[in-house]
Amino acid sequence: MAIHNQPHHRLGFRIPSLYRTGAAPVAATDTAATTTSAYVLAGLRVLTGFVFLWAFLDKAFGFGYATPSGKGWIEGGSPTKGFLSSVAAGPMESTFHDWAGAGWANWLFMLGLLGIGVALVLGVALRPAAVAGTAMMALMWIAEWPPAKHLSDGSLSMSSNPFADYHLIYAVVLIALAAVGAGATWGLGKVWAKLPVVSRHTWLK
């Protein structure tokens, strides 16, 4: 009986040991994956924020990139006139032409770029930024109207995709960053969430 019981005793001792040694690496792997994901999303958030923030700065001060030097908003240039007046396709073509260069359009566009850019870089108010950014991207998507094969003058639109373009990608990124609360890493998201007004109105997170 002693000979027959000895293997059972060893198996009973070894099986729990195997479970213990196998559980630790899995937990460590999960933690590492979570940390890596947080850093990746934080980097995506900051880079996306810089896209919006740089667009604001260049259009405001005319650094000579997309906006020529001397044509900045503070120097009397219009950040919306060039783009909206060149719309040549889509159901809102004439509407965008009417909006081009309007004071209210310039202010809304520039404040939107600034607000979205600052919110993303700092990691605060990601939900309002996602709503505002998605609305802005939707309007810009309609302005460029990727489904059109031809422009209103009959020339080829040169659209590379009838639906998915970079405006939609930016909108999805903004929504995803807000959904996962990507402001906690490399940002002020935790501090922002603890503010009394944000605690009472969670849509401000």
Side-chain angles (χ1 to χ4, degrees), residues 2 45 53 57 59 64 73 84 102 140 163 188:
R45 189 200 79 234
L53 189 57
L57 294 173
K59 292 179 184 302
W73 191 31
L84 293 181
M140 295 181 73
F163 177 72
L188 303 176

Side-chain angles (χ1 to χ4, degrees), residues 57-96:
L57 294 173
D58 186 55
K59 292 179 184 302
F61 301 102
F63 289 147
Y65 289 86
T67 305
S69 179
K71 296 293 183 65
W73 191 31
I74 64 170
E75 298 167 302
S78 172
T80 64
K81 187 174 183 179
F83 176 68
L84 293 181
S85 61
S86 65
V87 173
M92 294 183 63
E93 179 180 351
S94 60
T95 302
F96 285 132

Side-chain angles (χ1 to χ4, degrees), residues 141 144-150 157 159 161-163:
W141 185 89
E144 294 197 359
W145 200 245
K149 293 182 178 180
H150 297 85
S157 67
S159 175
N161 191 295
F163 177 72

Side-chain angles (χ1 to χ4, degrees), residues 67-160:
T67 305
S69 179
K71 296 293 183 65
W73 191 31
I74 64 170
E75 298 167 302
S78 172
T80 64
K81 187 174 183 179
F83 176 68
L84 293 181
S85 61
S86 65
V87 173
M92 294 183 63
E93 179 180 351
S94 60
T95 302
F96 285 132
H97 290 171
D98 293 337
W99 292 357
W104 63 268
N106 291 335
W107 275 97
L108 280 179
F109 181 58
M110 293 298 282
L111 289 177
L113 290 176
L114 177 62
I116 296 167
V118 170
L120 290 175
V121 170
L122 296 182
V124 301
L126 296 184
R127 292 178 183 178
V131 173
T134 299
M136 180 184 291
M137 293 299 102
L139 287 171
M140 295 181 73
W141 185 89
I142 295 173
E144 294 197 359
W145 200 245
K149 293 182 178 180
H150 297 85
L151 302 179
S152 55
D153 62 0
S155 61
L156 291 175
S157 67
M158 303 301 290
S159 175
S160 59

